C-alpha cells in the first residue's frame, strides 16, 4: 500500500482559489491520459454496476433510490485505488492492477471502517427520504416515473424543494468528512478520525471553493449517469484523480497536515 512515511512530494506552494477546481480537473485528465487502463477498469465496473441496478430495479423506486444513494456515497471509497495510481504517477511510475489490488488486499481498517460509516449514512438518507415523500406526496410513490410526475414536476412548490435541501444538508457532512480523508489515508498513515478532522479543516478553510468543488462533482456524476451510465467510465476516474490533486494542493498550501510518521 502506498505510504510516504516522512515527507510530502516536493512542489511549489499553491494558492487555493475559485479556479482551483478547474486546475484539479485538468490535472486529473492528465493523469487519466498518462495511465488510462486503471481508470477505464474502475469506471467500467462502476458503469456496469449502475446499469445492472437500473435494469433490475427500474420499477421499484425505493430499492432503486437506495441502491443509487449507497452507490454514490460509497463510490469515493471504491475509487480509492485510483488515488494509489496518482501516488505512483507523482513518482514517475505507471501502474495498473497489481498495485491497486495491493491497496485492497492490505485490509486497511481505516478504509473499511470509513466505508461502513458511509454506507450507514446512505441508509439514513434513504430512510429519511422515504419518510418525507411518503408523508408528503399526494399519491403513493412506487416507480421512478411516479417520483418524476408527483414530486419533481408537482405544480405546487414545496416537497421537491424540501427534498433537495434535505439531501444537500445530509450530503454536506459526508462530503466534508471524505473529500480530504480518503486520499490522505491512501497517502499516509494518518488515523481515521484525524483524517476526517483534517478534511473538515480543509472545508472550513476554503468553504466557497469546496462548495464549488462539491457542485462540480455532483454535476459531473449526474451527467455520467444521465448518459446511460456509460459516462461514468470517464467521470469516475477523472474525479478520483482530480480529488487527489485537490488533496495535494491543500497540503502544499498548509491547510491540512497529514501524519507522515510511520506507524509503531
Amino acid at each position: 500500500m502506498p505510504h510516504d512515511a516522512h515527507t510530502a512530494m516536493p512542489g511549489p506552494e499553491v494558492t487555493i482559489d475559485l479556479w482551483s477546481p478547474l486546475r484539479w480537473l485538468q490535472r486529473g485528465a492528465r493523469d487519466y491520459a498518462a495511465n488510462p487502463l486503471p481508470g477505464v477498469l474502475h469506471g467500467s465496473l462502476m458503469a456496469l454496476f449502475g446499469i445492472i441496478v437500473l435494469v433490475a430495479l427500474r420499477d421499484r423506486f425505493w430499492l432503486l433510490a437506495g441502491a443509487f444513494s449507497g452507490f454514490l456515497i460509497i463510490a469515493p471509497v471504491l475509487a480509492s485505488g485510483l488515488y494509489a495510481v496518482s501516488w505512483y504517477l507523482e513518482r514517475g511510475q505507471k501502474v495498473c492492477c497489481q498495485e491497486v489490488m495491493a491497496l485492497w488486499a492490505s485490509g486497511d481498517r481505516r478504509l473499511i471502517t470509513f466505508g461502513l460509516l458511509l454506507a450507514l449514512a446512505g441508509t439514513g438518507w434513504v430512510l429519511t427520504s422515504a419518510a418525507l415523500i411518503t408523508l408528503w406526496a399526494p399519491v403513493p410513490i412506487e416507480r421512478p416515473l411516479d417520483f418524476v410526475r408527483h414530486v419533481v414536476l408537482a405544480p405546487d412548490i414545496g416537497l421537491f424543494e424540501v427534498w433537495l435541501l434535505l439531501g444537500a444538508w445530509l450530503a454536506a457532512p459526508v462530503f466534508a468528512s471524505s473529500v480530504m480523508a480518503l486520499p490522505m489515508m491512501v497517502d499516509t498513515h494518518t488515523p481515521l478520525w484525524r483524517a476526517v478532522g483534517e478534511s473538515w479543516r480543509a472545508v472550513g478553510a476554503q468553504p466557497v471553493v469546496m462548495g464549488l468543488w462539491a457542485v462540480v462533482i455532483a454535476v459531473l456524476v449526474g451527467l455520467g449517469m444521465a448518459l446511460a451510465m456509460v459516462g461514468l467510465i470517464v467521470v469516475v476516474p477523472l474525479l478520483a484523480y482530480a480529488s487527489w490533486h485537490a488533496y495535494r494542493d491543500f497540503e502544499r498550501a498548509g491547510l491540512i497536515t497529514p501524519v507522515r510518521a510511520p506507524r509503531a
Side-chain angles (χ1 to χ4, degrees):
M1 179 176 181
H3 280 311
D4 198 350
H6 300 289
T7 59
M9 285 296 295
E13 292 186 4
V14 298
T15 300
I16 307 297
D17 56 33
L18 291 177
W19 292 105
S20 292
L22 178 59
R23 291 194 290 269
W24 299 333
L25 289 173
Q26 289 173 334
R27 295 174 197 164
R30 180 194 63 200
D31 284 357
Y32 199 170
N35 194 16
L37 186 55
V40 170
L41 290 175
H42 271 76
S44 296
L45 289 173
M46 296 282 193
L48 179 61
F49 175 80
I51 292 171
I52 291 173
V53 168
L54 186 61
V55 171
L57 303 177
R58 61 186 180 276
D59 292 326
R60 302 178 182 180
F61 176 71
W62 289 115
L63 290 178
L64 184 65
F68 274 119
S69 296
F71 169 72
L72 292 174
I73 290 176
I74 295 295
V77 176
L78 299 178
S80 60
L82 296 175
Y83 302 145
V85 175
S86 285
W87 190 93
Y88 282 104
L89 284 173
E90 284 183 341
R91 291 151 181 81
Q93 304 175 46
K94 292 184 180 181
V95 298
C96 187
C97 304
Q98 181 176 354
E99 290 77 11
V100 172
M101 291 302 297
L103 172 65
W104 292 110
S106 68
D108 192 316
R109 291 184 180 180
R110 299 170 304 162
L111 293 176
I112 294 172
T113 301
F114 198 56
L116 292 174
L117 291 173
L118 291 179
L120 183 62
T123 302
W125 158 241
V126 172
L127 294 176
T128 304
S129 174
L132 174 69
I133 293 178
T134 298
L135 293 173
W136 196 331
V139 299
I141 305 298
E142 299 176 351
R143 299 177 301 164
L145 188 58
D146 295 335
F147 180 79
V148 173
R149 286 177 176 174
H150 301 294
V151 178
V152 178
L153 300 179
D156 298 328
I157 296 176
L159 176 55
F160 184 55
E161 290 73 18
V162 170
W163 182 81
L164 283 178
L165 289 173
L166 180 62
W169 181 71
L170 294 174
V174 173
F175 172 80
S177 298
S178 60
V179 64
M180 296 291 155
L182 284 168
M184 185 181 296
M185 287 188 286
V186 172
D187 184 38
T188 70
H189 295 290
T190 305
L192 171 59
W193 299 114
R194 168 72 179 270
V196 170
E198 290 296 313
S199 191
W200 276 86
R201 178 185 171 197
V203 173
Q206 290 288 344
V208 176
V209 174
M210 297 311 284
L212 176 60
W213 182 228
V215 171
V216 169
I217 291 173
V219 169
L220 288 179
V221 170
L223 180 61
M225 296 176 70
L227 296 173
M229 302 294 168
V230 178
L232 295 178
I233 298 174
V234 174
V235 169
V236 168
L238 176 63
L239 289 177
Y241 294 140
S243 295
W244 175 267
H245 289 289
Y247 156 71
R248 194 59 92 198
D249 274 4
F250 268 80
E251 182 183 12
R252 287 173 174 158
L255 298 177
I256 56 174
T257 309
V259 176
R260 294 196 170 274
R263 285 178 288 193

